[in-house]
Structure formats: C-alpha cells, structure tokens
Amino acid sequence: MTPTLLSKEIKDFIKKLFSDAATVKPAVYEGYLPKRTVENQDEPDYPFVLVRMTKGRQTEDAHAVIVKLIVGVKAADEAEFLNALNVMDRIRIAFSRQRVIAGQFRHELPLDWELFEEQPHPEYLGQVIMNWTLPSVTEEVEGI
C-alpha cells in the first residue's frame, strides 16, 4: 500500500524477470548502486537496474506514484549499447503483460523510456518511466 512496498515488489518482479536471462542479467537495486565496501569490491557495477520512487500524488480518489528504472550496461564494443535497450524493452513488455503486481499496485499507461543522448562509453544508460496507482487511503472520522 505504500511506495516503499511498491519499490520492493518492482525490484522482486524485475529480478525474477531476468533470473533465466541467457545474455544480460542485471543486478537490481532500490534507489542507488550500493556503496563500495571490502565485502563487495569484486562485484561488478554493470549491468544494473535501479528502482527509484521519484514523485507521488495523493488525491481524494487515488495515490499515484512515478517510478524511474535506471538501466546501465557496460559494452565491450559499440554494438553492445543495444543491451541497454534490450533490458528496457524486456521490462516494458513484462509490465505491459502484467499491469498489476502483488494484487495491489497497478501500472498505468503511458510508459516512457529513453536512452540518454550523451553516453559515457563503454557504459550505456537509459531509463524507463512508469506511472503506478496504489490503493487509496480511506478517511476515518471518529463517531461516524
């Protein structure tokens, strides 16, 4: 019912989506890449998907949340920049097929995606922007 729960459900959904991937298997994180420590210094940063809650709006009827999925891949050659597009496309198709997750969060169209104009070769970045509707909260009034 909260954006925090939505973030976790999206993360779990994307992890499961790529669990059987034959090519690119991105790590999925909520928010930002994990801070480098002695324990994780040998883990690669790329490929990844970051699930970020960016904006929300509560109205009388609904609770809407905008989620950005930041996708990053590292390319061995210029043609592999398409791996970022492939990851975003797989996410787009999966959420188009299953628009409700955890029985309470609904993905609302439109879904936007973009590969950024400037790319820090050999890393390539893009984003998927999604709109979600969460169950609304019912006002409670004492004595009624």
Side-chain angles (χ1 to χ4, degrees), residues 60-76:
E60 289 289 330
D61 301 323
H63 183 187
V65 176
I66 297 173
V67 178
K68 287 186 180 179
L69 305 176
I70 310 298
V71 174
V73 300
K74 196 169 203 169

Side-chain angles (χ1 to χ4, degrees), residues 83-95:
N83 284 340
L85 185 58
N86 289 335
V87 169
M88 291 189 300
D89 209 36
R90 190 164 183 184
I91 290 169
R92 178 189 63 80
I93 291 167
F95 280 115

Side-chain angles (χ1 to χ4, degrees), residues 28-44:
V28 185
Y29 305 103
E30 292 178 77
Y32 299 87
L33 288 173
K35 187 176 181 178
R36 282 285 169 211
T37 63
V38 173
E39 291 82 27
N40 69 9
Q41 68 184 354
D42 294 330
E43 294 177 18

Side-chain angles (χ1 to χ4, degrees), residues 3 53-59 62-67 132 134:
M53 304 290 115
T54 60
K55 191 174 183 179
R57 173 177 245 186
Q58 175 76 42
T59 64
H63 183 187
V65 176
I66 297 173
V67 178
W132 289 86
L134 285 63

